[in-house]
Amino acid sequence: HIKGYLTSGHNELIKNGWFRTGDLVETDENGYLRIIGRTHDVINVGGEKVLPVEVEDVIMNVEGVENCRVYGADSMITGQIVVAEVVTQQKDRKTLKKIIFQTCRQKLQAYKVPAKLRFINKIEISQRLKTKRQ
């Protein structure tokens, strides 16, 4: 519980004396909080909510994937779709793409499986060392 922030210009971040960070948290059975994402990163696929980190965790465990970024893109049908960008050094990207989709279908609910997957050279990082999602 806080009374203010470093500068008075941030009062819009305070509601009922609490600092609004935009973090999504869950509480475990012992009452401990765990940050699971940011509210502005949540992807809304036909009313179902997808946290990018859930999909990224699955993709990052695929052999040959060096890094990845997941974000939502607009869709006229579902509101948003899940998009994954993957960094790899593998030459056979067609096979890797199949393996990534196969792994996602096995480990994620259908609405969380990326609708689009593309390969990129690197993932941009912000000054605060966070993945830039778009």
Side-chain angles (χ1 to χ4, degrees):
H1 196 64
I2 64 170
K3 293 184 189 233
Y5 195 59
L6 295 176
T7 62
S8 61
H10 293 297
N11 287 333
E12 70 277 1
L13 298 176
I14 301 170
K15 185 174 184 177
N16 297 326
W18 293 92
F19 185 65
R20 296 171 49 166
T21 64
D23 291 321
L24 292 172
V25 298
E26 64 183 16
T27 308
D28 69 12
E29 64 276 357
N30 297 316
Y32 289 100
L33 297 176
R34 184 173 79 100
I35 297 173
I36 58 173
R38 305 275 299 160
T39 54
H40 66 271
D41 290 338
V42 174
I43 304 165
N44 186 343
V45 180
E48 299 287 351
K49 306 300 186 242
V50 180
L51 293 172
V53 71
E54 290 178 275
V55 182
E56 289 169 349
D57 286 346
V58 170
I59 294 172
M60 286 299 294
N61 282 307
V62 174
E63 188 176 332
V65 172
E66 293 178 16
N67 203 351
C68 74
R69 165 178 53 203
V70 172
Y71 58 90
D74 292 339
S75 166
M76 296 206 34
I77 297 170
T78 60
Q80 288 186 304
I81 58 170
V82 177
V83 178
E85 294 179 332
V86 175
V87 177
T88 186
Q89 296 301 312
Q90 284 199 0
K91 302 291 184 220
D92 186 2
R93 292 180 172 188
K94 186 176 180 180
T95 299
L96 181 58
K97 192 173 193 174
K98 285 181 185 178
I99 292 168
I100 292 170
F101 277 125
Q102 199 172 46
T103 303
C104 285
R105 280 190 220 101
Q106 289 172 354
K107 298 188 181 242
L108 297 168
Q109 293 150 306
Y111 65 91
K112 294 179 182 180
V113 174
K116 290 185 181 178
L117 187 146
R118 65 177 171 247
F119 293 100
I120 60 174
N121 293 326
K122 72 177 190 171
I123 305 281
E124 295 294 324
I125 304 295
S126 74
Q127 290 180 356
R128 294 183 179 210
L129 303 175
K130 295 186 178 192
T131 299
K132 288 187 179 180
R133 295 206 187 274
Q134 292 297 64

